[in-house]
Amino acid sequence: MPEPYDLITMGRIGVDLYPLQTGVPLAEVETFGKFLGGSATNVAVAAARLGRRTAVISRTGDDPFGTYVHRALAGFGVDDRWVTPVERYPTPVTFCEIFPPDDFPLYFYRLPKAPDLEIRPDELDLDAVGTARIFWMTGTGLCAEPSRSATLTALRARDRSGVTVFDLDWRPMFWPRPAQARAAYAEALRYATVAVGNLDECEIATGEREPRACADALLAAGVELAVVKQGPKGVLAVHRDGTVAEVPPVPVEVVNGLGAGDAFGGSLCHGLLAGWELERIMRHANAAGALVASRLACSSAMPTAAEVDALLTGD
């Protein structure tokens, strides 16, 4: 039997086209850089950069950008065997505007439908999903069929074995109305052991907005560990066993805040796999996110373990 993956992620994949000029509206940008993108994909890349064996479950268009995605995944050492083409939909492209330190509007081109929402239950390798040390899924994967059914099928196959992370990943433009999201999130939370989200995402999942109330509501929904990201106030993590870690952010000069949360996620997985104490996991994840925020790109900006350690120690 093949050795289990450290991490399998399931969800968005595509191409990020980021402006090479900062502080400039998109209409005035003249040059762009092309990068591998998609939140679940970036998390797999982030964990791979930290030495973990990772894979992605997703779908692309049957087009040149799809070819690029496979080449980029291979370059980052992420297994692409479960990234398959969809003939009728193009590979998604995402643009952003960069106005440091805290304004980074995103423009998703995912119409008429993104291929990553065409993941089907009967195409899943449930043995691999079930035995992965960590399985990571996202709120976006619940927003449309057949991806919703596929995501829930994967969660049921794990049956709360190992670590199952629900990245709340609230993107309002992908949902007809918030109430639909809350119902789908409640179903997924039954199978997750870890939930991760910012205050907006936690509010969609739980109806709460105060950080500790968010964490308590997520624990009540069934998870073992609730991680509430609070932006400039840092991160709050609460475990069912009573352990609490509240860690401030690592100060850096922000270039592009997009992708910081994905670096945080990859580091979170790395720390959970290593069996670190909760506060150490949160400090490492904060530092990984800060490093990406200080860089232009997302996937190619994901830090190595040595880079995170250097930031934490001040070397």
Side-chain angles (χ1 to χ4, degrees):
M1 183 176 177
E3 186 174 344
Y5 287 86
D6 289 325
L7 170 66
I8 296 177
T9 69
M10 180 175 178
R12 290 202 310 276
I13 200 167
V15 176
D16 289 340
L17 295 176
Y18 284 178
L20 299 183
Q21 297 87 40
T22 62
V24 177
L26 195 59
E28 299 175 19
V29 174
E30 295 182 355
T31 55
F32 296 85
K34 180 180 68 176
F35 306 98
L36 178 67
S39 180
T41 302
N42 287 336
V43 171
V45 170
R49 292 295 286 268
L50 295 170
R52 299 299 177 176
R53 181 170 178 251
T54 71
V56 177
I57 300 171
S58 194
R59 306 198 74 181
T60 70
D62 189 10
D63 54 27
F65 276 149
T67 301
Y68 163 74
V69 162
H70 282 279
R71 290 176 179 171
L73 287 170
F76 289 124
V78 177
D79 196 323
D80 66 347
R81 70 182 63 196
W82 297 305
V83 180
T84 57
V86 177
E87 289 187 4
R88 62 189 178 279
Y89 301 130
T91 301
V93 174
T94 302
F95 290 87
C96 76
E97 293 176 309
I98 300 176
F99 297 104
D102 58 4
D103 188 18
F104 307 100
L106 279 170
Y107 301 89
F108 293 98
Y109 289 77
R110 293 169 58 86
L111 297 174
K113 187 180 184 182
D116 55 61
L117 295 177
E118 282 290 296
I119 303 171
R120 298 183 178 278
D122 59 2
E123 296 171 335
L124 297 174
D125 184 338
L126 294 180
D127 288 337
V129 168
T131 59
R133 297 176 70 192
I134 297 181
F135 177 67
W136 178 287
M137 47 72 63
T138 75
T140 296
L142 300 171
C143 76
E145 292 290 2
S147 175
R148 182 186 301 120
S149 292
T151 301
L152 293 172
T153 296
L155 290 173
R156 294 182 188 117
R158 286 187 66 77
D159 194 25
R160 296 176 61 84
S161 61
V163 176
T164 300
V165 183
F166 182 3
D167 175 5
L168 300 178
D169 184 43
W170 164 244
R171 306 285 179 173
M173 68 286 292
F174 299 160
W175 291 86
R177 55 188 185 277
Q180 264 192 349
R182 183 165 295 168
Y185 279 34
E187 176 71 10
L189 282 168
R190 293 172 53 199
Y191 302 98
T193 63
V194 180
V196 183
N198 61 31
L199 292 177
D200 290 338
E201 292 165 337
C202 290
E203 185 175 17
I204 286 296
T206 69
E208 302 286 351
R209 189 163 183 89
E210 190 276 325
R212 183 58 196 250
C214 289
D216 289 343
L218 290 168
L219 294 174
V223 304
E224 299 295 319
L225 174 63
V227 180
V228 182
K229 294 184 282 189
Q230 305 175 77
K233 293 185 178 179
V235 61
L236 170 68
V238 183
H239 196 279
R240 182 175 296 280
D241 67 8
T243 306
V244 177
E246 190 156 16
V247 177
V250 178
V252 293
E253 184 175 347
V254 174
V255 173
N256 183 0
L258 301 173
D262 302 332
F264 182 101
S267 174
L268 169 66
C269 293
H270 178 63
L272 290 170
L273 289 165
W276 293 343
E277 64 176 9
L278 190 57
E279 183 166 336
R280 181 181 178 187
I281 293 173
M282 293 302 111
R283 290 191 182 280
H284 194 279
N286 265 0
L291 282 168
V292 172
S294 72
R295 301 167 177 177
L296 173 65
C298 290
S299 55
S300 61
M302 296 300 168
T304 64
E307 289 174 319
V308 177
D309 290 342
L311 181 61
L312 286 170
T313 60
D315 292 343

